[in-house]
Amino acid sequence: MAPSSTPTHRIAVIGGDGIGPEVTAEAIRVVQAAGVQLELTDFDLGGSRYLRDGEILSDETLERLRGFDAILLGAVGTPEVPPGVIERGLLLKMRFELDLYVNQRPFVGTAPGSTVAHDFVVIRENTEGPYVGEGGVLRKGTVHEVATQGSVNTWMGAERACRYAFELAMTRRRHVTLVHKTNVLTFAGDLWQRAFHAVAAEFPQVATAYNHVDAACIYFVQDPQRYDVIVTDNLFGDILTDLGGAVSGGIGLASSANLNPARTGPSMFEPVHGSAPDIVGTGKANPTAAVLSAALMVDFLGEGAAAERIRAACAADPGTGTTRQIGGRLAAAVAG
């Protein structure tokens, strides 16, 4: 028999904690039903692993991850691990070390109280801003305590995020909105605005707009139809995308891609929701966000037709039933 011409994609799977393994299993099930060939390697990482032996993400494990085509992550975090330990040691370490400088989050839905559907994408710069950890504390625990937390912004970081947003807009409705707070954050905001305009000059076919982040929060709720592609910094993007999930059916349905567009290493794909330890094993977890994240993954890997079938199946499915039932219906839909 002649060998299949269908490529096999090497995927590192981090099921993680709580409902993470449950929803990830369904995402893989749907992708394989869509005809995408996967070679899967499981990695035991997350809060539970940390509690067992202190491993978060060693340099050795990170080096192994570099060899894969993509990383599919379920959810990480357990109540027993202090906040920030897993986030900084695993998620942020992967973003920084693998240069996952674009966080792409699509939102399709109808805002509460509206009858008009929206379809927009937020491009969040993913490796700079306040999350790099610049800052410090003096006289901690006293009435004279001082804490600083700086926002690190570079021309390269802002420019490449903007460039990705404009390139994406060329495949959509050709409109990009910069969201920042330039009237108060005059240094970082000025850098972002200049980088935005420099890139915009190379894309005369793309219309542009600017919103302060507080105004954008209002528009997300009252008039999300105005947006096509939004580009913003790490912190504002983190906040806005949670709001985007809330106006598009709930954060439990939101997908995301942490991308290395230069493809110098694997990109990482994950649902936005948390590990929900209170519903583990109950079948109550809706796997749709994980499935949509997997659709972003296969799209990035060049399997656009399969990704479109998966997205269409998710849009048509009512999202009711157990985790396995929803996954089963989606798998049947994409296979048919």
Side-chain angles (χ1 to χ4, degrees):
M1 180 182 294
S4 171
S5 60
T6 304
T8 298
H9 307 286
R10 299 183 65 243
I11 309 300
V13 179
I14 305 174
D17 301 307
I19 62 171
E22 299 173 31
V23 297
T24 302
E26 297 309 311
I28 292 169
R29 180 185 180 190
V30 174
V31 168
Q32 291 177 325
V36 180
Q37 302 298 312
L38 304 178
E39 179 184 322
L40 306 172
T41 302
D42 289 316
F43 284 79
D44 181 12
L45 298 170
S48 297
R49 171 69 186 275
Y50 172 74
L51 290 171
R52 285 203 312 274
D53 61 16
E55 165 79 2
I56 302 178
L57 178 61
S58 67
D59 291 341
E60 293 77 14
T61 301
L62 179 64
E63 202 56 37
R64 286 186 63 200
L65 289 173
R66 292 185 192 277
F68 288 85
D69 298 322
I71 301 166
L72 184 62
L73 185 145
V76 292
T78 61
E80 299 84 3
V81 179
V85 173
I86 302 301
E87 291 84 352
R88 296 205 67 86
L90 178 58
L91 300 179
L92 293 186
K93 185 173 181 178
M94 281 197 290
R95 291 177 189 176
F96 297 150
E97 294 295 331
L98 299 176
D99 204 21
L100 309 179
Y101 64 84
V102 163
N103 185 277
Q104 179 172 328
R105 298 190 184 183
F107 298 102
V108 179
T110 303
S114 174
T115 59
V116 182
H118 57 258
D119 175 3
F120 63 91
V121 180
V122 177
I123 301 303
R124 163 189 171 190
E125 197 292 317
N126 210 30
T127 60
E128 295 188 348
Y131 293 10
V132 302
E134 192 277 333
V137 62
L138 296 172
R139 299 185 290 273
K140 188 173 183 178
T142 76
V143 294
H144 302 292
E145 182 172 341
V146 178
T148 63
Q149 194 80 59
S151 179
V152 177
N153 300 267
T154 70
W155 177 271
M156 181 187 77
E159 193 271 351
R160 65 183 183 174
C162 290
R163 183 170 300 281
Y164 183 89
F166 275 87
E167 290 173 349
L168 179 63
M170 287 292 292
T171 69
R172 292 174 51 88
R173 301 193 301 276
R174 300 192 175 190
H175 190 281
V176 181
T177 303
L178 171 65
V179 173
H180 210 282
K181 190 69 174 172
T182 56
N183 59 334
V184 175
L185 303 177
T186 53
F187 301 122
D190 177 64
L191 184 153
W192 268 90
Q193 199 157 48
R194 286 185 289 110
F196 181 81
H197 289 311
V199 175
E202 301 178 31
F203 293 85
Q205 313 95 318
V206 178
T208 63
Y210 170 78
N211 291 160
H212 290 323
V213 65
D214 43 354
C217 288
I218 297 171
Y219 297 143
F220 265 42
V221 175
Q222 296 183 347
D223 186 25
Q225 296 81 19
R226 69 169 56 210
Y227 294 119
D228 178 22
V229 179
I230 296 164
V231 63
T232 189
D233 82 345
N234 207 341
L235 177 60
F236 294 148
D238 192 1
I239 297 167
L240 279 175
T241 51
D242 280 357
L243 181 56
V247 301
S248 304
I251 198 70
L253 301 179
S255 60
S256 76
N258 297 269
L259 303 177
N260 176 335
R263 300 178 189 264
T264 58
S267 294
M268 188 265 283
F269 303 83
E270 60 175 327
V272 176
H273 62 66
S275 60
D278 55 320
I279 59 170
V280 173
T282 65
K284 294 180 180 179
N286 188 332
T288 303
V291 173
L292 288 170
S293 298
L296 289 171
M297 179 183 73
V298 298
D299 206 353
F300 192 72
L301 293 173
E303 304 272 6
E308 281 302 315
R309 292 203 308 277
I310 294 170
R311 282 191 282 265
C314 289
D317 193 89
T320 57
T322 67
T323 309
R324 288 283 295 168
Q325 287 170 344
I326 297 170
R329 289 199 306 269
L330 294 175
V334 299

